[in-house]
Amino acid sequence: EVQLVESGGGLVQPGRSLRLSCTASGFTFGDYAMSWVRQAPGKGLEWVGFIRSKAYGGTTEYAASVKGRFTISRDDSKSIAYLQMNSLKTEDTAVYYCTRDLPGYSSSWYDYWGQGTLVTVSS
Amino acid sequence: EIVLTQSPDFQSVTPKEKVTITCRASQSIGSSLHWYQQKPDQSPKLLIKYASQSISGVPSRFSGSGSGTDFTLTINSLEAEDAATYYCHQSSSFPLTFGGGTKVEIK
Protein backbone atom coordinates (compact mmCIF):
# COMPACT_ATOMS: atom_id res chain seq x y z
CA GLU A 1 0.00 0.00 0.00
CA VAL A 2 1.36 3.40 -0.99
CA GLN A 3 1.76 5.77 1.95
CA LEU A 4 3.10 9.29 2.24
CA VAL A 5 3.62 10.71 5.72
CA GLU A 6 4.59 14.33 6.24
CA SER A 7 6.28 15.56 9.40
CA GLY A 8 8.10 18.60 10.73
CA GLY A 9 5.32 21.16 10.81
CA GLY A 10 4.74 23.50 13.71
CA LEU A 11 4.79 27.09 14.88
CA VAL A 12 7.69 29.21 13.67
CA GLN A 13 8.46 32.93 13.80
CA PRO A 14 8.65 35.04 10.65
CA GLY A 15 12.10 35.00 9.10
CA ARG A 16 13.01 31.63 10.59
CA SER A 17 13.45 28.26 8.88
CA LEU A 18 11.70 24.90 8.99
CA ARG A 19 12.27 21.60 7.21
CA LEU A 20 9.42 19.29 6.33
CA SER A 21 9.88 15.61 5.56
CA CYS A 22 7.75 13.27 3.48
CA THR A 23 8.41 9.61 4.21
CA ALA A 24 7.22 7.28 1.48
CA SER A 25 6.47 3.57 1.49
CA GLY A 26 4.77 0.98 -0.67
CA PHE A 27 6.49 1.88 -3.95
CA THR A 28 9.97 2.33 -5.41
CA PHE A 29 10.50 5.91 -4.27
CA GLY A 30 13.54 6.57 -6.43
CA ASP A 31 11.59 5.96 -9.64
CA TYR A 32 9.09 8.75 -9.00
CA ALA A 33 9.05 12.51 -9.05
CA MET A 34 7.52 14.14 -5.99
CA SER A 35 5.67 17.39 -5.49
CA TRP A 36 4.61 19.64 -2.62
CA VAL A 37 1.23 21.40 -2.52
CA ARG A 38 -0.02 23.72 0.22
CA GLN A 39 -3.37 24.99 1.42
CA ALA A 40 -3.75 28.11 3.54
CA PRO A 41 -6.52 27.95 6.15
CA GLY A 42 -9.90 28.12 4.42
CA LYS A 43 -8.29 28.60 1.01
CA GLY A 44 -7.65 26.58 -2.13
CA LEU A 45 -4.74 24.44 -3.22
CA GLU A 46 -1.44 26.03 -4.26
CA TRP A 47 1.38 24.16 -5.99
CA VAL A 48 4.71 24.74 -4.24
CA GLY A 49 7.32 22.75 -6.10
CA PHE A 50 8.51 19.54 -7.74
CA ILE A 51 11.58 17.33 -7.82
CA ARG A 52 12.39 14.90 -10.59
CA SER A 53 13.77 11.47 -10.03
CA LYS A 54 17.54 10.95 -10.25
CA ALA A 55 17.00 9.34 -13.66
CA TYR A 56 15.93 12.78 -14.86
CA GLY A 57 18.60 14.68 -13.02
CA GLY A 58 16.82 15.21 -9.71
CA THR A 59 16.20 18.79 -10.76
CA THR A 60 13.54 21.02 -9.27
CA GLU A 61 10.84 23.54 -10.19
CA TYR A 62 9.21 26.08 -7.87
CA ALA A 63 6.29 28.45 -7.64
CA ALA A 64 7.27 32.09 -7.92
CA SER A 65 5.98 32.74 -4.40
CA VAL A 66 8.60 30.43 -2.84
CA LYS A 67 11.46 30.48 -5.35
CA GLY A 68 14.72 31.43 -3.70
CA ARG A 69 13.35 30.68 -0.21
CA PHE A 70 12.24 27.04 -0.44
CA THR A 71 14.34 24.06 -1.55
CA ILE A 72 13.12 20.56 -2.32
CA SER A 73 15.52 17.64 -2.05
CA ARG A 74 15.31 13.88 -1.80
CA ASP A 75 17.11 10.98 -0.17
CA ASP A 76 16.25 7.91 -2.19
CA SER A 77 18.11 5.61 0.24
CA LYS A 78 15.63 6.62 2.95
CA SER A 79 12.58 7.18 0.67
CA ILE A 80 12.21 10.73 1.97
CA ALA A 81 11.48 14.00 0.21
CA TYR A 82 12.30 17.24 2.00
CA LEU A 83 10.99 20.77 1.82
CA GLN A 84 13.45 23.24 3.33
CA MET A 85 11.68 26.51 4.01
CA ASN A 86 13.78 29.59 4.77
CA SER A 87 12.87 33.23 5.40
CA LEU A 88 9.35 32.21 6.29
CA LYS A 89 6.54 34.73 5.97
CA THR A 90 3.13 34.84 7.62
CA GLU A 91 1.59 34.09 4.22
CA ASP A 92 3.39 30.73 4.20
CA THR A 93 1.00 29.54 6.91
CA ALA A 94 -0.70 26.47 5.44
CA VAL A 95 -1.13 22.74 5.50
CA TYR A 96 1.65 21.28 3.38
CA TYR A 97 0.98 18.10 1.43
CA CYS A 98 3.48 15.92 -0.36
CA THR A 99 2.23 14.10 -3.42
CA ARG A 100 3.50 11.35 -5.64
CA ASP A 101 4.03 12.45 -9.19
CA LEU A 102 4.93 10.18 -12.10
CA PRO A 103 8.25 8.87 -13.36
CA GLY A 104 9.44 11.23 -16.03
CA TYR A 105 10.72 14.70 -16.73
CA SER A 106 7.38 16.47 -16.59
CA SER A 107 4.84 16.62 -13.81
CA SER A 108 1.42 15.09 -14.14
CA TRP A 109 -1.46 14.08 -11.90
CA TYR A 110 -1.17 13.23 -8.20
CA ASP A 111 -2.54 9.80 -7.39
CA TYR A 112 -1.35 9.75 -3.78
CA TRP A 113 -1.31 12.51 -1.17
CA GLY A 114 -0.04 12.59 2.37
CA GLN A 115 -2.23 13.64 5.27
CA GLY A 116 -0.58 17.05 5.41
CA THR A 117 1.38 18.88 8.08
CA LEU A 118 0.43 22.33 9.39
CA VAL A 119 2.97 25.13 9.33
CA THR A 120 2.04 28.27 11.23
CA VAL A 121 4.23 31.34 10.79
CA SER A 122 3.52 33.84 13.53
CA SER A 123 5.31 35.96 16.07
CA GLU B 1 1.67 31.37 -15.60
CA ILE B 2 -1.44 29.51 -16.73
CA VAL B 3 -4.49 30.69 -14.80
CA LEU B 4 -7.33 28.22 -14.25
CA THR B 5 -10.75 29.78 -13.66
CA GLN B 6 -13.40 27.53 -12.20
CA SER B 7 -17.12 28.19 -12.18
CA PRO B 8 -19.27 28.31 -10.26
CA ASP B 9 -17.54 28.99 -6.94
CA PHE B 10 -20.42 27.37 -5.06
CA GLN B 11 -23.31 25.13 -5.98
CA SER B 12 -26.18 23.85 -3.82
CA VAL B 13 -27.69 20.73 -5.34
CA THR B 14 -30.35 18.18 -4.43
CA PRO B 15 -29.47 14.47 -4.51
CA LYS B 16 -29.80 12.77 -7.91
CA GLU B 17 -29.32 16.07 -9.72
CA LYS B 18 -26.60 16.47 -12.32
CA VAL B 19 -23.68 18.76 -11.46
CA THR B 20 -21.48 20.50 -14.02
CA ILE B 21 -18.29 22.32 -13.06
CA THR B 22 -16.22 24.16 -15.63
CA CYS B 23 -12.53 25.02 -15.68
CA ARG B 24 -11.14 27.48 -18.20
CA ALA B 25 -7.42 27.81 -18.85
CA SER B 26 -5.84 31.13 -19.81
CA GLN B 27 -4.02 29.36 -22.67
CA SER B 28 -4.21 26.01 -24.37
CA ILE B 29 -3.06 23.10 -22.20
CA GLY B 30 -4.06 20.23 -24.46
CA SER B 31 -5.47 17.52 -22.21
CA SER B 32 -3.11 18.13 -19.26
CA LEU B 33 -5.97 18.85 -16.89
CA HIS B 34 -6.86 16.80 -13.82
CA TRP B 35 -9.68 16.94 -11.29
CA TYR B 36 -9.59 16.38 -7.52
CA GLN B 37 -12.20 16.10 -4.80
CA GLN B 38 -11.49 17.36 -1.30
CA LYS B 39 -13.82 16.68 1.61
CA PRO B 40 -13.53 18.69 4.85
CA ASP B 41 -10.42 17.82 6.86
CA GLN B 42 -9.24 15.34 4.25
CA SER B 43 -6.48 15.32 1.65
CA PRO B 44 -7.50 15.80 -1.99
CA LYS B 45 -8.38 12.72 -4.01
CA LEU B 46 -7.77 12.26 -7.73
CA LEU B 47 -11.02 11.88 -9.70
CA ILE B 48 -10.11 12.32 -13.36
CA LYS B 49 -6.74 12.50 -15.14
CA TYR B 50 -5.91 13.96 -18.54
CA ALA B 51 -9.29 15.68 -18.85
CA SER B 52 -11.38 12.57 -19.38
CA GLN B 53 -9.55 9.46 -18.21
CA SER B 54 -11.26 7.62 -15.38
CA ILE B 55 -9.49 6.52 -12.21
CA SER B 56 -9.82 3.07 -10.73
CA GLY B 57 -12.10 3.07 -7.70
CA VAL B 58 -13.80 6.37 -8.54
CA PRO B 59 -17.58 5.99 -9.07
CA SER B 60 -18.68 6.06 -12.70
CA ARG B 61 -20.99 9.02 -12.05
CA PHE B 62 -17.87 11.22 -12.24
CA SER B 63 -16.73 12.09 -15.77
CA GLY B 64 -14.60 14.71 -17.45
CA SER B 65 -14.43 16.26 -20.88
CA GLY B 66 -12.71 19.01 -22.81
CA SER B 67 -9.38 19.96 -24.31
CA GLY B 68 -7.44 23.08 -25.10
CA THR B 69 -8.83 25.76 -22.79
CA ASP B 70 -12.29 24.54 -21.75
CA PHE B 71 -12.93 21.60 -19.48
CA THR B 72 -15.89 20.16 -17.61
CA LEU B 73 -16.34 17.86 -14.64
CA THR B 74 -19.76 16.23 -14.54
CA ILE B 75 -21.30 14.40 -11.61
CA ASN B 76 -24.31 12.41 -12.76
CA SER B 77 -26.95 11.70 -10.13
CA LEU B 78 -25.32 13.44 -7.19
CA GLU B 79 -25.11 11.51 -3.94
CA ALA B 80 -24.87 12.90 -0.39
CA GLU B 81 -21.27 11.68 -0.11
CA ASP B 82 -20.27 13.95 -3.02
CA ALA B 83 -20.46 17.05 -0.83
CA ALA B 84 -16.96 18.44 -1.25
CA THR B 85 -14.80 21.05 -2.94
CA TYR B 86 -13.61 20.21 -6.44
CA TYR B 87 -10.38 21.50 -7.98
CA CYS B 88 -8.93 21.41 -11.47
CA HIS B 89 -5.15 21.27 -11.92
CA GLN B 90 -2.95 21.76 -14.98
CA SER B 91 0.34 19.96 -15.56
CA SER B 92 1.00 21.37 -19.04
CA SER B 93 3.75 23.75 -17.98
CA PHE B 94 5.53 25.09 -14.93
CA PRO B 95 4.54 26.71 -12.70
CA LEU B 96 1.75 24.22 -12.21
CA THR B 97 -1.53 25.72 -11.09
CA PHE B 98 -4.87 24.84 -9.55
CA GLY B 99 -8.28 26.35 -10.08
CA GLY B 100 -9.85 28.24 -7.20
CA GLY B 101 -12.21 25.40 -6.34
CA THR B 102 -15.95 24.74 -6.54
CA LYS B 103 -17.78 23.89 -3.34
CA VAL B 104 -20.73 21.54 -3.83
CA GLU B 105 -23.30 21.49 -1.06
CA ILE B 106 -26.15 19.02 -0.74
CA LYS B 107 -29.56 20.64 -0.23
Side-chain angles (χ1 to χ4, degrees), chain B residues 1 7 11 17 20 23 27 31 36-37 45 51 63 65 72 76 81-83 86 89 97-98:
Chain B
E1 172 178 313
S7 62
Q11 197 164 9
E17 259 192 85
T20 300
C23 178
Q27 63 189 76
S31 296
Y36 301 87
Q37 175 194 65
K45 172 188 172 183
S63 64
S65 63
T72 300
N76 282 301
E81 66 183 30
D82 300 333
Y86 294 85
H89 161 229
T97 48
F98 287 88

Side-chain angles (χ1 to χ4, degrees), chain A residues 95-116:
Chain A
V95 173
Y96 285 75
Y97 296 101
C98 74
T99 68
R100 190 179 80 163
D101 214 296
L102 290 186
Y105 187 82
S106 301
S107 183
S108 191
W109 64 87
Y110 305 139
D111 54 357
Y112 290 96
W113 297 64
Q115 85 288 353

Side-chain angles (χ1 to χ4, degrees), chain A residues 35 37 39 43-47 50 52 61-64 97 101 105-111 113-116, chain B residues 1 34 36 38 41-46 48-50 53 55 87 89 91-92 94-101:
Chain A
S35 290
V37 175
Q39 186 169 36
K43 302 297 184 182
L45 301 173
E46 180 187 13
W47 177 76
F50 163 83
R52 297 176 177 88
E61 308 283 348
Y62 297 98
Y97 296 101
D101 214 296
Y105 187 82
S106 301
S107 183
S108 191
W109 64 87
Y110 305 139
D111 54 357
W113 297 64
Q115 85 288 353
Chain B
E1 172 178 313
H34 321 292
Y36 301 87
Q38 186 180 32
D41 299 318
Q42 293 187 17
S43 302
K45 172 188 172 183
L46 179 66
I48 298 288
K49 65 181 183 182
Y50 281 141
Q53 295 183 15
I55 302 299
Y87 295 94
H89 161 229
S91 62
S92 175
F94 293 105
L96 308 186
T97 48
F98 287 88

